[in-house]
Amino acid sequence: MDTSRLLRTSGTLAATAALLLSALTAGNAAPTASAAARPHGGDEPGTTLVADRPDLAAPLRPYYAQKLNWRSCAGKGAGFECASMKVPLDYAVPRGGDISLAVSRKRATDPSARLGSLLVNPGGPGGSAIDYLQSHAATKYPAEVRARYDLVAVDPRGVGRSTPVNCLSDSDMDRYTQADPNPQTAAETRGYVANLKKFSQGCATRAGRVLRHVSTAEAARDMDVLRGLLGDSKLHYVGASYGTFLGATYAELFPSRVGRLVLDGALDPSLSAERVNREQAAGFQTAFTSFARDCARRVDCPLGTSGPDDAGKRLRAFLAGLDRHPLATGESRRLTEGLATTGVIAAMYDEGAWPALRKALADAAGGDGKVLLALSDAYYERDERGAYSNLMAANSAVNCLDAPAAFRGPDGVRRALPAFRKASPVLGEALAWASLGCAYWPVRSTGHPHRITARGAAPILVVGTTRDPATPYPWARALASQLSSGRLLTYDGDGHTAYTRGSECVDEAVDSYLLTGTPPPATRRCS
């Protein structure tokens, strides 16, 4: 199991869960998912009008002066355009070579009222912004926003179509994701560490030089190059989950170029990796409690009707049993404890996935692990052919570069286990061990936890959901208070992120800000 600090929007997972439940109820094969932290400082390198900026470092001028060659995106239907752009591999040594980033856009439907470009990012790190644009933003964002903005996405460096980081073959990824998430014995611990080391070494072997240059700070600089190429003097942006950290980092590096930034499901950049993981464990416990309470009111609840504590005990017993006796799934892979744990976590991202989880657990009680395996596959972005996206590889590459490792070895995890169990009696132990991933990373981190103020930036809207599992609500409060121009919008609800997830109140507040530049009052609360 590898779920450490995977922060992304819930849209892809929720849609997949709904389709999955529908298909399985109809007796069809389950569809698989389509492809849906810490900056270091520096000077501001770019601008829209290169010729008018003699202070722009000469080696960067060609990047800001290049032209995007837009063309229709293959196989994506009418309206989507694609292009590629070049950026320096290393901004500290711009003449040391460049890499290619993939870009896509959907033009504003009312060009006469166009406000500019609106960049979108779904989080991860490792989530494809292009897939998010083409499968979600271009249809789910409100019509007036789509009318007045060109919606634009760039897969961040190392992600998706942008010089992707890869670590393991698909067959090795299958073995990696099936690993025991909670080693109990010395032998199990050695196996767990060996699995992490194999993954890390695979990244070092396959990714090459790019592995040292996929930090969030570098991705933020790339966004400024794209801003310039799009002809915008300010960056307008909607970032979800980890995308909030990317957006906040941009604001820190280029405060004078901040336009209308929406940071939905925020990460607190001042927290250490250990604290991020522990507080995320608490967030998933909060989400599980909501699921268990909802489940107990239903006749088909496989966890009983006695409440969250009893439901948690039943789930822990079920998961522990899989460590000894994995379940059949109708294919060569069996449902292990690691895969089942990931499937449960996947369903916590959106309450729309709860019916699928109830069915998955009920089927598993009867010896069929197919639905829970499908939820896990959706989380890892494994398709029906057994091919993985590079989500997990990019996730580790960015996280391990952005911040020092949460733990240096198994002893550190064991010392932290009581705190993780307190944070989440159900999932805490597994999430503690998942936090060990960066301990054996082949590249040293370049970032560090710190507050982001972005002094001088225009108003920035931070959106927080009170029972968000992946980015707990206190993180949104913290980021809004750190940003000198931050404004918090609160959604009292379940699930990860809030914009375009069903709350008219949230959507109206965010839309008004994007269209007028005026954020809602600091006391605005939606339900």
Side-chain angles (χ1 to χ4, degrees), residues 2 11 42 122 152 157 268 320 365 377 381 423 443:
D2 184 358
V152 180
R157 51 174 61 208
D268 181 351
D377 284 349
E381 295 190 354
V443 177

Side-chain angles (χ1 to χ4, degrees), residues 251 401 474:
L401 203 56

Side-chain angles (χ1 to χ4, degrees), residues 386-402:
Y388 289 81
S389 77
N390 87 314
L391 171 69
M392 302 312 299
N395 180 261
S396 293
V398 176
N399 281 334
C400 295
L401 203 56
D402 275 352

Side-chain angles (χ1 to χ4, degrees), residues 211-247:
L211 200 62
R212 299 178 181 274
H213 297 288
V214 292
S215 70
T216 298
E218 289 164 309
R221 291 183 181 279
D222 296 340
M223 287 204 305
D224 193 65
V225 174
L226 179 56
R227 172 204 57 77
L229 300 182
L230 293 170
D232 294 332
S233 60
K234 304 283 186 179
L235 180 80
H236 306 307
Y237 174 83
V238 176
S241 199
Y242 158 82
T244 66
F245 179 52
L246 178 58

